[in-house]
Amino acid sequence: MSLETLDPAKLQTAISDAGAGWTAGITSVSQLPPSAKRLILGANFPPGYAAGLQGQGGAKAGAGTYPASFDLTNVNGSNYITAVKDQGGCGSCVAFGSTATVEGTYQWLRGNPSTGINLSEAQLFYCDAASQGCNCETGWWPDNAFNFYKNPGVSDAACFPYTAGDQACTQCSDWQTRATMITGWHNITSTSDMKTWISTNGPLSACFTVYNDFFSYTSGVYKHVTGDCAGGHCVSIVGYDDSLGCWKCKNSWGTGWGENGFFRIAYGQGFYPDSISSTGCGSGTTPPIDANMWAVEGIVATGWENGRKVLGLWAIDQDYNAWAYFDSGVGWRKISAASDNIFYDMLSQLAAAKAAGRPVNFYESQGVITQIYCL
């Protein structure tokens, strides 16, 4: 396979001749040598994946109750998607795509586009993926990433900052108390269900095959026109537009690529019609980007929640079993039973705040309230 640098003018002519309707140019990755281009991907398709998804995707579009378009980066002027990051020269796209989906889900379910959540792709890849024998050259797969998000969770980025290139797992000593977990995940194989999920529950993760022309994408709705297969790549799906027939995706190649780090791709694109291997090219048939997506079912968070109102309190005739219900999509949280003083003091503060209608700030550790400050 040849991944030589494509001439932008010739590529744009090919795009125009094909009626593809997107714009190519020199980007932050288009001039990389072939080995470096493959290294900024990283979806390691498991054996049998393609065969198991034959006929999925657009063929199952069906009818739905979703709006005709939806964009989590602009919901009534609010952007619920965290900042674009750069995986650099390491096949860690799975860590970035899954983390972007967890972060976006967290903000959307909280109804707060500015929570400041920033989770550690470094832990997810250099600790968790590495424990399964994966590295920058081999890549990884979302099933495994979301399983680690479910248990034991992933700490904040400050605990283990990301730099590109295989390295030792060097988490901070208290990472477990700083970890964000998910309650579960599942696959979605119907495009109508994908759109319904995005417009009600938050972003999804997806993987697809990248061709050489994709590295030169600058704007518009991408459709493959020319160039060989480079490999598999995973991203976060943050929106869709039926009038344009496309998904909007958050990539992990920095803001100097695409539409400030995002891209739009036509429904049914991102497949390799001849074959697939662990790199996305080789033997079998790769399904399109919308054949399968990964959904995060819920968040078990660690960190501060600020300015929340207590809408309800619940307790049962068991020692230290009391819960508080908060607004803004936070929902039920258990009150810590670390000691008598902590438990009863926080319970009384929450009861007083509820009675007075006053908001509170609280710190939760994996869904358990450990500190409260009444406002």
Side-chain angles (χ1 to χ4, degrees):
M1 295 179 297
S2 176
L3 296 180
E4 75 282 355
T5 299
L6 298 176
D7 178 83
K10 292 181 179 178
L11 176 55
Q12 193 60 57
T13 297
I15 293 169
S16 298
D17 290 346
W22 58 279
T23 303
I26 296 176
T27 72
S28 58
V29 301
S30 62
Q31 307 299 298
L32 294 174
S35 59
K37 285 180 177 177
R38 293 191 178 95
L39 203 55
I40 62 171
L41 303 176
N44 190 345
F45 291 92
Y49 175 73
L53 290 177
Q54 289 299 310
Q56 302 292 338
K60 292 183 64 178
T65 57
Y66 50 84
S69 65
F70 195 81
D71 183 354
L72 285 159
T73 70
N74 185 6
V75 182
N76 298 321
S78 294
N79 177 13
Y80 290 88
I81 302 303
T82 52
V84 171
K85 302 176 184 178
D86 192 345
Q87 71 185 80
C90 177
S92 53
C93 67
V94 169
F96 281 83
S98 56
T99 294
T101 297
V102 172
E103 291 174 345
T105 300
Y106 176 88
Q107 298 207 134
W108 178 250
L109 293 181
R110 291 293 184 276
N112 183 353
S114 305
T115 65
I117 187 170
N118 184 13
L119 302 176
S120 178
E121 292 89 359
Q123 178 198 328
L124 190 58
F125 196 70
Y126 300 130
C127 299
D128 299 335
S131 72
Q132 297 182 330
C134 298
N135 55 46
C136 290
E137 293 284 346
T138 66
W140 205 25
W141 191 243
D143 286 21
N144 304 315
F146 286 118
N147 283 337
F148 277 107
Y149 259 111
K150 185 176 180 181
N151 185 30
V154 175
S155 65
D156 56 289
C159 179
F160 189 177
Y162 180 87
T163 56
D166 290 317
Q167 56 200 265
C169 175
T170 54
Q171 302 174 87
C172 55
S173 59
D174 62 341
W175 74 268
Q176 289 176 305
T177 66
R178 297 161 61 167
T180 293
M181 304 170 67
I182 65 173
T183 58
W185 64 271
H186 64 273
N187 295 113
I188 301 178
T189 58
S190 158
T191 55
S192 61
D193 291 344
M194 293 168 187
K195 295 170 188 176
T196 300
W197 187 274
I198 291 169
S199 60
T200 56
N201 295 291
L204 296 165
S205 287
C207 300
F208 64 105
T209 298
V210 167
Y211 295 88
N212 198 20
D213 59 354
F214 186 71
F215 298 108
S216 300
Y217 170 90
T218 62
S219 65
V221 177
Y222 172 80
K223 296 179 182 178
H224 170 54
V225 172
T226 186
D228 288 327
C229 172
H233 191 47
C234 293
V235 297
S236 183
I237 312 296
V238 302
Y240 62 88
D241 189 327
D242 283 344
S243 66
L244 296 175
C246 69
W247 304 103
K248 181 172 181 177
C249 312
K250 178 185 178 183
N251 203 358
S252 51
W253 294 349
T255 56
W257 177 90
E259 297 177 326
N260 296 313
F262 292 85
F263 67 97
R264 289 171 289 162
I265 184 170
Y267 296 154
Q269 284 287 306
F271 63 93
Y272 192 68
D274 298 322
S275 56
I276 178 177
S277 71
S278 61
T279 65
C281 322
S283 60
T285 301
T286 312
I289 189 171
D290 38 25
N292 178 49
M293 295 187 188
W294 287 259
V296 172
E297 294 168 358
I299 305 290
V300 183
T302 294
W304 284 100
E305 288 284 352
N306 297 318
R308 304 306 186 195
K309 286 192 174 182
V310 185
L311 302 182
L313 291 168
W314 179 90
I316 195 171
D317 188 19
Q318 295 176 353
D319 290 341
Y320 308 119
N321 192 354
W323 299 67
Y325 189 84
F326 298 91
D327 68 352
S328 302
V330 175
W332 289 104
R333 291 293 185 268
K334 189 172 184 178
I335 302 170
S336 173
S339 70
D340 284 353
N341 288 340
I342 291 173
F343 177 79
Y344 288 113
D345 180 63
M346 290 199 298
L347 184 58
S348 63
Q349 288 188 61
L350 288 165
K354 179 179 181 296
R358 297 195 313 268
V360 300
N361 296 343
F362 67 89
Y363 186 86
E364 59 179 325
S365 178
Q366 296 182 1
V368 177
I369 301 172
T370 59
Q371 299 179 57
I372 292 176
Y373 293 94
C374 295
L375 303 179

